[in-house]
């Protein structure tokens, strides 16, 4: 059998699969040697729960509905079996685009493309990412040379389709990633337009961290008898993350942040603000106090965003200030601190934010600031996660 007897599903109800906690390896999933070698080179030996659940049905050509929050290993869960499927059935002659992966942000598109390069480095499959905010020339040249897998954001994809650079008639596998974020960003209409251009006969993989009614309706309309996989409900927070909240007046937040960051020394900290303007303003204030920081959000040029992310990953800067949408593409295993400078209005967003730390077996710390106007947001978060976040009192800027 393709699936090892040690990891057979315990239970299958309504197409939802639950697996044993048996420790397993990628090799037990019958992944081909070129991909296994690439995974070994990266130090990957044991698949995450969503990878255990998704790789088999995707490799068997089944549609899939995956509900998984950020940091669960979702990209590898679809990238690995897609690479294996395309490699096992090479196309002759003209190189049509065979797989389309649609994702909401530039950072996520680049992250997925990098993952394809990592897992598929020993294969002869070609892939690229296209997104707005940069000149299209380089992207169109790669498209004209022929690719197997296209990772795209909706706006740039529609633009290049209208110009005749992209045709989707040969798509065999369609992946819709971060569907709930597509809804948040107003991309659902664009996504539906793209779907109308896809062949009816295809394999479809649909991933979303949350399943609001409109997203569920979209999933139902494009999936055929899908396998359902669900891991780490969005209401849960990782035990590896230590959480705390500081009550502080809005005007004193900047001073409290500076105080904490200086105590943290050179430890990397990801700081969340609600708005792009707020992120830029905060970075300027931090610079005045001698703290090396950069902002990452949708108004930044692609080069500026990539430079900031690269500097953060390489420890050239210790503080990255981000908005929620931009942060979806930040994937760093060793990130000690996440700081909610402003609490999110949507409680699920809190779970996504703090899920950036405490990854890959590392411990993490999530710190939140809360002023009087944010008390209702804090109560909503605590209701969602099921416990009260411990309060840190007696700090220099307590209100």
């Amino acid at each position: 059998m393709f699936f090892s007897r040690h990891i057979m599903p315990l239970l299958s109800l309504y197409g939802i699969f639950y697996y044993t906690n048996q420790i397993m390896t990628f090799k037990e999933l019958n992944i081909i040697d070129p991909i296994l070698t690439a995974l070994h080179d990266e130090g990957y030996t044991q698949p995450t729960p969503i990878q255990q659940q998704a790789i088999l049905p995707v490799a068997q050509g089944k549609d899939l509905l995956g509900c998984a929050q950020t940091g669960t290993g979702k990209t590898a869960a679809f990238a690995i079996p897609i690479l294996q499927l395309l490699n096992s059935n090479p196309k002759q002659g003209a190189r049509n685009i065979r797989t389309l992966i649609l994702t909401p942000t530039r950072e996520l598109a680049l992250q997925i493309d990098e993952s394809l390069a990592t897992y598929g480095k020993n294969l002869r499959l070609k892939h690229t990412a296209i997104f707005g905010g940069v000149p299209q020339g380089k992207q169109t040249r790669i498209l004209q040379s022929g690719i197997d897998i296209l990772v795209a954001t909706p706006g740039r994809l529609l633009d290049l389709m209208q110009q005749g650079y992209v045709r989707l008639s040969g798509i065999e596998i369609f992946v819709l990633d971060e569907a709930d974020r597509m809804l948040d960003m107003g991309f659902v209409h664009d996504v539906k337009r793209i779907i109308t251009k896809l062949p009816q006969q295809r394999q479809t993989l649909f991933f979303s961290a949350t399943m609001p009614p409109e997203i569920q309706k979209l999933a139902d309309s494009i999936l055929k008898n899908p396998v359902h996989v669900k891991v780490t409900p969005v209401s849960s927070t990782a035990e590896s993350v230590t959480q705390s909240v500081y009550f502080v007046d809005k005007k004193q937040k900047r001073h409290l942040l500076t105080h904490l960051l200086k105590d943290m020394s050179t430890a990397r900290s990801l700081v969340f603000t609600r708005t792009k303007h707020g992120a830029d303003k905060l970075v300027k204030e931090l610079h005045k106090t001698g703290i090396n920081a950069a902002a990452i959000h949708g108004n930044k040029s692609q080069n500026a965003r990539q430079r900031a992310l690269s500097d953060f990953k390489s420890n050239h800067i210790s503080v990255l200030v981000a908005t929620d949408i931009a942060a979806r593409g930040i994937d760093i295993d060793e990130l000690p601190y996440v700081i909610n400078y402003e609490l999110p209005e949507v409680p699920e967003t809190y779970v996504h934010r703090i899920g950036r730390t405490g990854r890959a077996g590392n411990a993490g710390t999530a710190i939140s600031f809360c002023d009087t106007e944010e008390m209702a947001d804090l109560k909503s978060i605590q209701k969602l996660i099921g416990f009260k976040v411990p309060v840190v009192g007696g700090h220099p800027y307590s209100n």
Side-chain angles (χ1 to χ4, degrees):
M1 290 178 63
F2 183 85
F3 208 65
S4 166
R5 67 180 183 276
H6 300 297
I7 49 174
M8 285 292 289
L10 276 176
L11 177 67
S12 173
L13 291 175
Y14 308 108
I16 303 177
F17 287 83
Y18 301 88
Y19 290 82
T20 70
N21 291 322
Q22 178 83 29
I23 295 175
M24 58 176 295
T25 66
F26 281 108
K27 190 173 183 179
E28 290 178 276
L29 290 172
N30 282 7
I31 296 170
I32 57 176
D33 286 339
I35 298 177
L36 277 179
T37 300
L39 292 170
H40 181 268
D41 290 346
E42 294 297 312
Y44 299 160
T45 56
Q46 295 178 357
T48 67
I50 193 169
Q51 291 161 10
Q52 292 182 38
Q53 297 183 42
I55 287 176
L56 168 64
V58 175
Q60 291 178 332
K62 296 178 181 178
D63 282 11
L64 184 139
L65 175 58
C67 189
Q69 66 187 64
T70 185
T72 56
K74 168 168 55 69
T75 299
F78 64 77
I80 290 171
I82 285 173
L83 289 166
Q84 180 151 320
L85 279 170
L86 298 185
N87 183 76
S88 66
N89 183 30
K91 286 290 184 182
Q92 303 297 325
R95 190 185 290 273
N96 293 321
I97 300 172
R98 302 176 62 192
T99 295
L100 171 64
I101 302 172
L102 204 58
T103 193
T105 69
R106 294 175 283 188
E107 285 77 21
L108 274 169
L110 285 167
Q111 179 186 320
I112 293 169
D113 192 52
E114 289 172 1
S115 296
L116 290 167
T118 298
Y119 310 140
K121 67 179 183 180
N122 300 318
L123 305 176
R124 293 185 176 181
L125 297 170
K126 293 186 177 182
H127 54 87
T128 195
I130 62 172
F131 41 81
V134 296
Q136 69 176 44
K138 182 178 179 181
Q139 296 176 3
T140 56
R141 286 193 294 273
I142 295 173
L143 288 169
Q144 289 175 315
S145 70
I147 60 167
D148 298 284
I149 306 171
L150 177 62
V151 187
T153 55
R156 177 53 61 93
L157 176 59
L158 283 170
D159 188 16
L160 296 187
M161 286 170 62
Q162 290 168 358
Q163 296 181 51
Y165 288 109
V166 177
R167 286 180 292 275
L168 303 180
S169 57
I171 294 296
E172 302 166 25
I173 306 170
F174 171 54
V175 181
L176 182 59
D177 192 28
E178 303 277 3
D180 56 343
R181 187 57 59 177
M182 295 281 194
L183 176 63
D184 290 344
M185 296 175 67
F187 289 153
V188 168
H189 179 67
D190 288 346
V191 170
K192 290 178 178 178
R193 286 178 60 194
I194 291 165
I195 290 171
T196 64
K197 305 297 182 182
L198 297 171
Q200 287 293 317
Q201 295 299 317
R202 65 175 190 270
Q203 181 180 6
T204 302
L205 314 178
F206 190 107
F207 292 92
S208 188
T210 59
M211 293 298 294
E214 187 171 352
I215 293 301
Q216 184 66 61
K217 184 178 179 181
L218 178 62
D220 292 342
S221 70
I222 65 174
L223 294 168
K224 299 176 181 178
N225 300 316
V227 170
H228 293 66
V229 297
K230 185 175 183 178
V231 298
T232 315
V234 73
S235 61
S236 66
T237 53
E239 293 182 3
S240 59
V241 180
T242 301
Q243 302 173 55
S244 62
V245 60
Y246 289 70
F247 293 125
V248 57
D249 186 78
K250 187 174 184 179
K251 294 180 180 179
Q252 297 296 325
K253 283 188 176 184
R254 173 171 54 86
H255 301 295
L256 176 58
L257 179 63
T258 302
H259 170 74
L260 293 177
L261 290 175
K262 288 189 173 179
D263 279 351
M264 293 169 189
S265 185
T266 58
R268 280 186 298 204
S269 301
L270 176 60
V271 180
F272 282 99
T273 61
R274 284 185 178 180
T275 67
K276 304 167 189 175
H277 172 72
D280 287 333
K281 183 178 179 181
L282 184 56
V283 166
K284 290 178 181 178
E285 296 295 337
L286 291 174
H287 284 170
K288 292 177 183 177
T289 65
I291 295 174
N292 197 5
I296 181 169
H297 56 67
N299 285 354
K300 294 284 186 180
S301 70
Q302 182 60 27
N303 288 337
R305 293 163 82 163
Q306 287 306 115
R307 183 167 58 251
L309 191 54
S310 176
D311 287 346
F312 188 59
K313 287 182 176 181
S314 62
N315 276 323
H316 286 133
I317 60 171
S318 58
V319 180
L320 189 65
V321 183
T323 55
D324 291 301
I325 291 173
R328 277 292 180 105
I330 299 173
D331 187 13
I332 301 170
D333 287 341
E334 296 181 12
L335 177 61
Y337 294 97
V338 165
I339 300 175
N340 292 300
Y341 185 77
E342 295 165 322
L343 287 177
E345 294 175 321
V346 179
E348 287 85 359
T349 300
Y350 173 84
V351 179
H352 294 312
R353 286 182 178 184
I354 72 171
R356 293 291 162 191
T357 187
R359 293 184 174 203
N362 298 305
T365 299
I367 297 170
S368 298
F369 295 172
C370 180
D371 61 40
T372 54
E373 296 177 0
E374 295 171 305
M375 288 300 297
D377 296 323
L378 178 62
K379 289 179 180 178
S380 296
I381 289 167
Q382 292 179 150
K383 181 179 179 181
L384 177 72
I385 64 178
F387 64 89
K388 289 187 176 182
V389 179
V391 176
V392 178
H395 62 83
Y397 304 98
S398 56
N399 53 16

